[in-house]
Amino acid sequence: MPNTEVFLQAVQEGYTFKGEFAVLGAGMLDKAAVPGALVKLPLKTMNRHGLIAGATGTGKTKTLQVIAEALSDASVPVLLMDIKGDLSGIAAAGTDNEKIKERMAVIGTAYKPAAFPVELMTLSNEKGVRLRATVSEFGPILLSKILDLNDTQQGLVSMIFKYCDDHKLALLDLKDFIKVLQFVSNEGKAEIEKEYGKIATTSTGTILRKVIELQQQGADVFFGEPSFEVDDLMRIADDGRGMISVLRVTDMQNRPKLFSTFMLQLLAELYATLPEAGDLDKPKLVMFIDEAHLVFQEATDALLQQIETVIKLIRSKGVGIFFCTQNPQDVPASVLSQLGLKVQHALRAFTAADRKTIKQAAQNYPETEFYKTEELLTQLGIGEALVTMLNEKGIPTPLVHTMLVPPRSRMDVLTDGEIDGIVNSSKLVKKYAAVADTESAYEILNAKLEEAAERTAEEKAAKEEKKASGGGRKEKSTIEKVLDNSVTRQIGRTAANVITRSLLGALGLGGKSRKKSSSWF
């Protein structure tokens, strides 16, 4: 049996940090909390990304809530992607009870209920700040990856963006992009091929079908103006705490491609906008993605590669990303390898496949003399987890079975009245409420086509009017028609020749030898 003193020393040495930290809970040995074995989270390494995993009902969402609260207290802005709709309660104070008192007494810390500054956001028509982005902001490469286009089709998309840039055609929403696609396939094909090269109609048709597929998942609501400014995610509340932005995406479960689209665009925008930060004492922004398998389940290889690349690079911008999902295998291995903090709640073994998954999950964690990780994964209680992270030197800390502290905010959803109160007092809701439909490619090309159609109609009408008013050639008389006949003309030419020859003969100018012939006279 492991020695308690040795365990306590290992936890204290592994989880002692110089900078700011948050207490996650107390280390456990033989299913009992060890007094003084506090498991702490160093804020300096929160931009190294993380994973919160576990079966349904084991407390993943509450762990996410605890970490978000600690970050807000440390003046770090947070973005929570709320898939299930149970994170809005972070805006209201929690309620003390006997179970919480008992747990906090075992851990050795006090429980202080608190509400946190919250901004509610949405990708659809739910209540909250509307998040939008323009097609132009995506750019041809990112848009092509989301549409899963091949190299030829991606080249065509790049050409369309170049044409729109050269001719001042703004690509704001999907109807703009669709209109340009239709234009380059029909009326504008000759003009564009003259400037930019051949266009394959089959490619434009394929791209159009992919855009329509994206529209079917509600992308029309997301693409457009006013475009959301990422700086609004990194606000500090009036009391000095970091603002917690709760993105309510409860309707995204059936629209994974739109969710992936938003995720990738947001990460790309953050990476492009934020300056290099290096190693900060605490991050500029931390994102939590609940039900993270929705990001990856329908993502193409190109999209996964793009996500992996952004996650690797965005750390240097001071942004941390945490994935919350039921099974670590939901996250691609290439992404999983980038996650420094791992909080593993219980897994369930109902089938042989489940046992295999648990064995693989156990291998994701550091070896330890204190636990049999594979067995313990199925025995963890609610509110308990295996925890390992990177310390301030970037070295993984020992794996610890942890009794986690409860959230200080409400562990339930807000009422409709409470949601209305937050929305009505929000400055950002007013800023992004009105949809702007400024003149863009759709309107400009429509006007151009209408002008061409009107010009064609006017020319046709002018010709018909000229013809009707006799402005053309006058109708010939009967004599003119007879004289204009080809047979009449031939007879006339023959008679003229005979008369000419007779006159020349009478004048003695007919030539040296001339046969006698009967005269017509």
Side-chain angles (χ1 to χ4, degrees), residues 98-157:
E98 289 302 319
K99 287 186 177 180
I100 289 178
K101 288 179 180 178
E102 182 181 341
R103 176 176 285 256
M104 297 305 289
V106 172
I107 294 172
T109 58
Y111 182 74
K112 297 178 181 179
F116 290 81
V118 165
E119 190 76 69
L120 298 177
M121 299 184 170
T122 178
L123 287 176
S124 57
N125 293 317
E126 292 189 13
K127 297 175 182 177
V129 181
R130 288 284 301 276
L131 301 190
R132 301 183 190 87
T134 65
V135 173
S136 293
E137 286 172 333
F138 269 72
I141 296 175
L142 186 54
L143 186 62
S144 297
K145 289 184 183 297
I146 289 163
L147 296 175
D148 191 23
L149 304 181
N150 61 31
D151 290 343
T152 302
Q153 294 157 356
Q154 182 174 326
L156 178 55
V157 172

Side-chain angles (χ1 to χ4, degrees), residues 7 15 24-29 37 39 51-55 58-64 67 103 107 341-347 365 371 373 376-389 398-405:
F7 173 78
Y15 291 86
L24 281 183
M28 301 178 67
L29 189 64
V39 176
L51 172 73
I52 303 171
T58 55
K60 299 187 304 295
T61 303
K62 305 314 170 193
T63 300
L64 184 159
I67 298 175
R103 176 176 285 256
I107 294 172
L341 170 66
K342 293 184 176 69
V343 180
Q344 179 65 62
H345 288 263
L347 294 174
Y365 301 98
Y371 315 108
T373 307
L376 187 57
L377 280 175
T378 61
Q379 300 170 4
L380 294 169
I382 297 175
E384 297 177 7
L386 292 176
V387 177
T388 182
M389 62 191 75
L399 184 66
V400 180
H401 177 192
T402 306
M403 177 183 288
L404 298 163
V405 298

